[in-house]
Structure formats: structure tokens, C-alpha cells
Amino acid sequence: MPLHPEIATIVANRPAPPEGPIDPAFLRADEESHVAAPADRLPLHAVDDAVAAAPSGDVPVRIYTPAEADSYGVIVYFHGGAFFLGSLDTHDHVARALAKETGCRVISVGYRLAPEHRFPAGLTDCYGVVRWVSEHGRDLNWDGTTLAVAGDSSGGTFAAAVAAMAHDDGFTAITHQVLYYPSLDLDFDEDRYASLRENATGYGLETAGLKPFNAFYLDSGADPADPLVSPIKREDLSGLPAALVITAEYDPLRDEGELYGRRLTEAGVEARISRYAGANHGFVANFGWIPEYHAAFAETRAFLAPVTAGATGAGQR
């Protein structure tokens, strides 16, 4: 199907980016200016700001409780933003929707950003918060059964990398990884993935912008050959948590996400690849108000339900 008409209209009317070098401060301020007022946000039972005492230092987190219950599955959520944008506030609506639709307690991570903080600062913050959750499970009313990592775009990079770090450390508490249109191969080789060519222009995120936008991260010490930077470069994917990989039809990053999902399946990991027709990069965060794309949250809920042994699959919505 063509690009969804609501998305197409917004993409067509986007203002041109400012001329000159990318200015993180300007872009961050612009993002924050679009954050909904607290009174206009999806209501939940409780939303609390806290600090997670991680090995890397104190990390700000926001804890979303959908309803009163004795215990909860937990989703640790990492926002997107090319590793230099995004915050607890800019992605507050995503975390709220995740909590509401899944019934899980969601812990959103305010990790350190490039270029002010060199690699692997943000990644170690994310991993540290996951370990903090497991260590404080009783305080968080964690049910001890479901502990998922989830992220959109570069947050999906972190989710995949954190799952791998946990596996290598022998930390087995993570049960699921949820990757929304993840960035998994940061060398951006246009010859490797057809979607980098097919979806290069006209759909919001453009292939030519990938290198300059990710340069803040890569120039801070992140090596694209490192599997913790480009998770698809990890040779052995066996033993990783079950994965839901959600991709967008009109996303330059579509094919690397779907290849990662197939490789997980080949390695014996339960993995589901779900491509959303007519969607572009960022649709969960930017167009979750469109019913057919809000369905990504319901699909996440179904994925986090008890897993049927050996169930794998792929689909398009």
C-alpha cells in the first residue's frame, strides 16, 4: 500500500531543516517544545520520577503504573533519537501507551546522550537500569516472570545490545526484547540493504541523513563494527531473549531489522517480525494515534503473554 495518507500529508508539509551543521541544542529544544502538557497526557494509575542507582551512576527513570495490582511484568524502555536526542518527556506518550496497553509497569530510562557523553555511557546506563530493576524487584512489585527490554529506533539498538550484554554476563532475567524499527547496522552500507535505496527519500527519515545524524554517537567512540553498536554484527545470536521486531514498510532501516529477526530465528531464538504497511520510520512514536499503528502496542501485549514453545512467525499489517 502507499504511504498512509495522514503520514504523507505531514511528511509533505514538514518545514525544511535549518541550514548548516546539525545543532543538538536546537533540535532538543524543538523536540521539548512539542511535548504535551501534563493535563493532556494519557492518564494512568501512577507516574513517578525516580533515580536508579546503577554502576555507572545515578540514572533518572520514570515509572509508569497502569493500574493497581499486586505485581506486574516490567518493561524497561529506551527512547529513540539517534543517540543524541530524546528524553523522558519527549517519549512520555510512548511509555504511557505501552503501560496502558500491556498492563506492565514501564520504566523509561533517561540515559546519557552523545556527544556530551562518550560511548558506552548511554548503553551502560540502560544495562545498569535493567540490573537495578532485577535487584529491586520486590520494591517495584515485579512479578519475577516478565522482564522485557524495549526501544524505538536507536532505543531499539540499545535494547538489542542490552539483551546481548546480559546474555554474555550470564544474567538471565530478561525474557523478551521488543524492537520498534531498530537501527542495527550503523555502517549504513547502501549496498547491503535494499530498503536504504528504495526508501531513501520522501518518507521522513532519509538515507542521506543517517550518517550525519548518527555522527554524534559514532564520533564519541562508538565503532560500527562493534556488535554492541551494530547488534546485527554479533556472530552468535543463540540464547538471546525472545524478540518482537516491528518494522515499517517505508523505512530505510526496514531490511536490517527484518534480517536480524530472521537471523534470530535461525539461531533458535523465538522471533516475530511484523512489518506495518504504509508506515514510516518513527510511526510508533509519531503516529500511534492512528488506529492501525496504535495496534503495535496491542501486538506487544500479545507477544509478552505466555510464549508457546517453538512459536515463530512473520507478518505484515
Side-chain angles (χ1 to χ4, degrees), residues 42-316:
L42 178 70
L44 298 175
H45 176 69
V47 177
D48 300 294
D49 286 336
V51 173
S56 58
D58 289 345
V59 182
V61 297
R62 186 167 292 167
I63 303 171
Y64 300 82
T65 305
E68 189 171 4
D70 292 333
S71 63
Y72 307 88
V74 171
I75 301 171
V76 184
Y77 168 68
F78 314 128
H79 66 76
F83 309 100
F84 78 100
L85 295 172
S87 69
L88 295 177
D89 286 332
T90 62
H91 287 66
D92 179 84
H93 62 294
V94 178
R96 286 173 183 265
L98 262 180
K100 179 75 170 181
E101 296 299 331
T102 65
C104 291
R105 178 164 269 170
V106 173
I107 300 177
S108 183
V109 181
Y111 58 83
R112 289 172 290 173
L113 301 175
E116 293 86 351
H117 303 281
R118 292 184 59 79
F119 176 84
L123 178 60
T124 56
D125 286 349
C126 291
Y127 184 41
V129 170
V130 174
R131 298 295 296 252
W132 174 82
V133 167
S134 71
E135 292 163 5
H136 294 81
R138 180 173 296 179
D139 298 332
L140 295 166
N141 290 0
W142 175 39
D143 64 12
T145 300
T146 299
L147 177 56
V149 290
D152 61 297
S153 192
S154 56
T157 316
F158 279 167
V162 164
M165 293 170 73
H167 175 271
D168 293 346
D169 281 351
F171 175 68
T172 60
I174 298 175
T175 57
H176 304 77
Q177 50 181 319
V178 181
L179 315 179
Y180 301 117
Y181 36 83
S183 177
L184 298 170
D185 193 343
L186 270 69
D187 66 13
F188 306 120
D189 183 351
E190 293 183 34
D191 294 328
R192 188 170 299 150
Y193 306 108
S195 60
L196 286 172
R197 302 185 300 276
E198 295 170 0
N199 298 328
T201 61
Y203 301 112
L205 178 68
E206 301 200 338
T207 299
L210 292 172
K211 287 184 178 179
F213 265 80
N214 285 275
F216 296 108
Y217 187 54
L218 299 179
D219 291 347
S220 75
D223 180 358
D226 182 345
L228 293 180
V229 175
S230 299
I232 202 167
K233 296 184 185 296
R234 183 179 174 93
E235 292 186 7
D236 183 4
L237 302 180
S238 63
L240 293 176
L244 172 63
V245 184
I246 287 181
T247 65
E249 181 179 9
Y250 294 106
D251 182 0
L253 305 183
R254 180 194 68 207
D255 290 355
E256 62 199 69
E258 294 179 1
L259 175 60
Y260 189 66
R262 292 194 299 272
R263 286 196 56 219
L264 285 168
T265 299
E266 291 165 1
V269 176
E270 191 224 348
R272 175 171 176 79
I273 305 163
S274 184
R275 180 191 295 185
Y276 279 65
N280 67 344
H281 186 82
F283 75 91
V284 170
N286 298 329
F287 298 104
W289 48 271
I290 299 175
E292 52 263 56
Y293 301 138
H294 190 80
F297 297 111
E299 185 169 13
T300 302
R301 179 185 66 240
F303 171 68
L304 296 179
V307 176
T308 301
T312 62
Q316 178 163 321

